[in-house]
Amino acid sequence: MSHSLAEHYHEILVGVGENPQREGLRDTPQRAAKAMQYLCNGYGQNLEEVVNGALFETQNDEMIVVRDIELYSLCEHHMLPFIGKAHVAYLPTGRVLGLSKVARVVDMFARRLQIQENLTRQIAYAVQEVTHAAGVGVVIEAKHMCMMMRGVEKQNSLMISSVMLGEFRESPTTRHEFLSLIGRHP
Ligand SMILES: [Zn+2]
């Protein structure tokens, strides 16, 4: 796959008017192919292997919030980056997910071609599936290079998306607690 992806990058260089033989670009197709494969390595992962059994029993039924998870993804419309933060919260019912695993679930879905709304939803349902939580809340705030570098060139717009499941959807108190814990006052 990396060979043919590199060939395609070679064609892209020609297509944008470059000379792929010039010194600075000689290894670019291979490098770009490798980078793109890394940025899309979420396709080769699944929830089970990412979580890898890192679930721990707990009596705690208070909200768990993992905030400010760095997020790097590629938009599926332009294949340009969108960059921001994810905040993930859930109400455990007997088991909690290892802290680093929450970030790895975010990465697994972020390292695919995405739109922010679907990414938010996929993370929420994955956390729900793994933890059997009484509720899950996910908020993503991100800046999209396809808006900032081209098109409308809006450099400061931030897109915020959220998905609330279970208690987070049904109980305004729970939702408000989550939003205030991530610094977004409802
Ligand atoms: Zn885009």
Side-chain angles (χ1 to χ4, degrees), residues 47-48 50-58 64 66 88 90 92 94-106 123 126-132:
L47 192 54
E48 200 184 333
V50 162
V51 170
N52 193 25
L55 284 159
F56 307 101
E57 283 187 33
T58 180
I64 291 173
V66 187
V88 177
Y90 61 100
R95 51 186 189 164
V96 292
L97 188 54
L99 189 60
S100 68
K101 299 300 183 183
V102 177
R104 293 209 51 208
V105 168
V106 170
I123 294 166
V127 171
Q128 172 71 59
E129 182 184 330
V130 168
T131 61
H132 304 299

Side-chain angles (χ1 to χ4, degrees), residues 139 164 171-186:
V139 170
M164 305 287 167
S171 158
T173 315
T174 300
R175 194 162 59 241
H176 288 186
E177 183 185 346
F178 170 44
L179 293 174
S180 89
L181 284 169
I182 63 169
R184 300 216 151 263
H185 294 283

